[in-house]
Amino acid sequence: MSLRDANVIIIETSRTVVRAGLGLFDLLKTPSVEIPARVGIRRGASGDTNAPTRDGSVFDAATASSSRATSALPQPMKAAVTDYLVGTQLDEAIAAGQDVIISWPFARGDVADWAQAEAIWKYVLFNQLQRRRVQNESPVLLSIAAGLSRLTYERICQMFFERFNVAGFSIMERPMAQLYAGNSLSGIVVDIGDYETDITPIYDGFIVHQAKMQMALGLKDCEIYLANLLKSNQTVMNALSPPENPLYPETLQAKLIELVQQLWRDGHIKVPSDGETAIPDDEGVTDIAAIVVAGKEKAVIESGMKKKATAKATAAELARAREIEAMDLITVQFAGHSLTLGKERHRLCEPLFDPRLVRGLDNLPSHDGEDLQRPLQELVAHAVSLTDVDQRIYIWGGLLVSGDVTRFVKGIGLALQSRLAPFMYSPEASMDIQPSGTRLLTVPEYYAEYRETGNGYAAFLGSSITAKIIFNEAGGRNYVTKSEYASRGPHSIIDMTPSLI
């Protein structure tokens, strides 16, 4: 049985974000729905007055918007699915100053609260994608964290068929989808999240689960680090917190973090490599066909005109231009101020490669005593060392760095790649299976909708590619049909999921 591409739904569920889209097209599209993977409930609606957070305090979304959001993990609540606020409903409640308890049911990778998970997926299907439960003709491919139990798979399958009445259903692991988007079956996926970074070795289309690693640092920690660095920029400090009218420290910190977020989202930050790998220079050879296909002919023409204008400039002007370029200064508009920043902005991701930099910083989120000493490059190398010796040369063959930050900040993958070189030699392996290096994987240029998104949407793209294949199979061996579910129940998802067999 094959299903119509126009009805296929992709739902990507990460720790902190849910993305979704309806329909598969010849040119695969980016998600049309993107919401935080959180729910809210008005205090007292569930019979509970407090929702303890990871550090034991009470998290109030109306007053703690700058707090470490995923620390508000779901607590056992006697609440119905309809009690929860999701998406715009929750945003409006917070904006109105309502007393709302926030929970993130996927924050630790597994499904921590089933009613909260159902509330999120229900909102995506019926509110955002406008499906009708009674006549739901849409099959769903759900990509979710790797390593979930068979019982979790069965319960998810049961929810989608019995609560959402889907026409077909399949689950895939997010790291596998991300690697598919990089056009590979073996490699290492490094997924930089808001609060954690997941490292997943994959060999020949299967995740090596015993080798998965997690780093207790993410983008939010990097934002706090750069915000602290900006306190030494007097231009920024005098504008945001003038000596005659200084801001409270908490208010200043929140403003600086907003500035950092604006900087990386506007593409003003790049990550320098460690000197081992450099971004290839333009060798002066112009591939006209590639430029036209990429839609960049206007930019090339403007660049050529700029070069001609520069050629006519005086030596003094050229020297001054080189001096300014070396200083790497930019001026940005923020909170009504014109701020000048220098190279310090490019240090955003330093804590990933040297976690000691964030020790002792004010406003740093709690990490539950987790060890912050091991850099990302060491954890990646350790993860690969936990795989079989014969697999390592293939796993080292591809490195895909993903996460929302890669949509806007260039060079993270190159920076990690350059730092991995000293760790590749394995004394256990013979010389003929020693890796010579790792290849940086990215979403191919021929996915037109994804050209400017880095690897940030890699999981969604990989899920779309998989859905286009499996839902058009004549035998339907990689998804559960409605009739199969009716005859075999939730256990049918196990036989239709290769990673579980």
Side-chain angles (χ1 to χ4, degrees):
M1 170 185 179
S2 62
L3 297 156
R4 290 178 56 197
D5 281 356
N7 288 330
V8 173
I9 288 175
I10 308 297
I11 300 178
E12 176 204 345
T13 304
S14 73
R15 295 175 185 271
T16 56
V17 177
V18 175
R19 300 184 177 98
L22 171 64
L24 297 173
F25 308 90
D26 290 337
L27 290 175
L28 296 175
K29 296 185 179 297
T30 53
S32 59
V33 176
E34 185 167 344
I35 64 170
R38 65 181 183 177
V39 298
I41 190 166
R42 294 180 179 88
R43 197 178 301 276
S46 67
D48 294 332
T49 56
N50 293 327
T53 64
R54 188 178 295 178
D55 59 6
S57 61
V58 174
F59 181 82
D60 183 348
T63 60
S65 58
S66 64
S67 298
R68 181 182 171 97
T70 53
S71 66
L73 296 172
Q75 305 299 316
M77 292 184 181
K78 296 177 181 178
V81 172
T82 52
D83 289 335
Y84 289 108
L85 305 173
V86 186
T88 55
Q89 306 162 342
L90 179 54
D91 295 338
E92 290 167 1
I94 295 172
Q98 297 180 19
D99 194 6
V100 181
I101 302 168
I102 303 291
S103 292
W104 300 73
F106 309 110
R108 286 184 172 164
D110 206 337
V111 182
D113 187 293
W114 289 98
Q116 294 172 3
E118 181 178 341
I120 291 173
W121 289 327
K122 178 183 177 183
Y123 176 83
V124 168
L125 285 170
F126 302 133
N127 184 293
Q128 295 294 290
L129 297 179
Q130 299 291 304
R131 296 293 87 189
R132 294 179 58 202
R133 187 190 183 284
V134 177
Q135 295 178 324
N136 192 350
E137 298 178 351
S138 289
V140 172
L141 186 142
L142 175 74
S143 61
I144 199 165
L148 303 185
S149 68
R150 292 188 173 203
L151 182 61
T152 298
Y153 270 69
E154 291 182 6
R155 192 160 180 180
I156 293 174
C157 180
Q158 181 179 12
M159 181 186 298
F160 273 82
F161 276 108
E162 297 185 12
R163 303 291 289 175
F164 305 145
N165 193 32
V166 297
F169 186 66
S170 183
I171 301 178
M172 78 177 302
E173 295 167 304
R174 284 186 74 248
M176 199 66 251
Q178 290 166 325
L179 196 64
Y180 283 168
N183 200 24
S184 183
L185 291 175
S186 297
I188 316 154
V189 176
V190 178
D191 189 13
I192 303 170
D194 282 350
Y195 303 101
E196 292 88 9
T197 298
D198 293 298
I199 302 161
T200 310
I202 299 174
Y203 173 70
D204 199 22
F206 289 91
I207 291 173
V208 188
H209 287 283
Q210 75 272 14
K212 288 191 306 174
M213 301 288 293
Q214 184 185 115
M215 185 183 196
L217 283 176
L219 175 59
K220 297 300 181 185
D221 303 276
C222 294
E223 289 175 351
I224 291 170
Y225 171 70
L226 183 53
N228 278 273
L229 289 182
L230 291 178
K231 290 178 181 177
S232 63
N233 185 318
Q234 289 305 310
T235 302
V236 172
M237 293 298 290
N238 290 337
L240 298 184
S241 184
E244 66 275 10
N245 187 25
L247 296 177
Y248 288 111
E250 297 82 3
T251 306
L252 174 61
Q253 182 73 8
K255 277 287 183 188
L256 288 170
I257 289 175
E258 283 181 37
L259 173 59
V260 170
Q261 290 172 343
Q262 178 179 312
L263 288 172
W264 71 259
R265 289 188 182 278
D266 288 348
H268 294 311
I269 292 175
K270 61 180 183 288
V271 182
S273 71
D274 198 34
E276 299 293 331
T277 307
I279 299 173
D281 290 325
D282 180 5
E283 297 178 352
V285 179
T286 303
D287 187 340
I288 300 298
I291 290 169
V292 172
V293 169
K296 296 179 179 177
E297 59 268 32
K298 183 179 178 181
V300 171
I301 292 170
E302 290 175 352
S303 175
M305 293 173 66
K306 189 181 293 184
K307 287 178 182 178
K308 290 180 181 178
T310 303
K312 298 176 182 178
T314 65
E317 289 172 336
L318 289 173
R320 177 59 180 160
R322 282 193 293 268
E323 182 182 343
I324 292 173
E325 185 177 354
M327 294 170 66
D328 197 7
L329 299 177
I330 61 166
T331 300
V332 298
Q333 301 301 316
F334 174 76
H337 302 284
S338 184
L339 305 177
T340 300
L341 299 106
K343 291 181 177 181
E344 74 271 15
R345 68 188 189 276
H346 299 312
R347 299 178 64 184
L348 172 71
C349 293
E350 282 185 353
L352 296 176
F353 307 119
D354 187 359
R356 295 170 298 177
L357 295 172
V358 297
R359 282 199 172 276
L361 287 184
D362 293 336
N363 306 105
L364 189 71
S366 169
H367 293 281
D368 295 337
E370 294 170 279
D371 183 15
L372 297 183
Q373 292 295 333
R374 303 190 71 181
L376 180 57
Q377 59 270 25
E378 287 189 16
L379 288 173
V380 170
H382 182 61
V384 177
S385 73
L386 296 177
T387 63
D388 291 343
V389 173
D390 294 343
Q391 296 175 351
R392 293 174 197 169
I393 189 171
Y394 301 101
I395 294 172
W396 275 123
L399 170 66
L400 188 137
V401 181
S402 65
D404 193 51
V405 67
T406 66
R407 292 166 54 193
F408 308 97
V409 178
K410 306 303 179 187
I412 301 177
L414 281 166
L416 178 57
Q417 180 192 38
S418 67
R419 288 167 169 82
L420 285 173
F423 298 96
M424 289 188 187
Y425 175 76
S426 173
E428 306 168 55
S430 59
M431 290 307 296
D432 58 336
I433 57 172
Q434 292 287 353
S436 58
T438 185
R439 180 170 58 99
L440 200 58
L441 303 177
T442 58
V443 172
E445 282 279 318
Y446 49 74
Y447 291 111
E449 296 280 334
Y450 291 82
R451 281 187 191 133
E452 305 301 324
T453 64
N455 289 334
Y457 287 151
F460 191 85
L461 173 60
S463 301
S464 301
I465 295 168
T466 304
K468 202 166 182 65
I469 296 170
I470 67 172
F471 288 130
N472 282 288
E473 283 182 320
R477 302 312 304 163
N478 285 304
Y479 74 94
V480 180
T481 65
K482 189 173 288 188
S483 60
E484 286 169 336
Y485 183 81
S487 63
R488 300 178 55 205
H491 187 73
S492 55
I493 190 67
I494 304 301
D495 294 336
M496 299 298 176
T497 307
S499 62
L500 298 178
I501 299 174

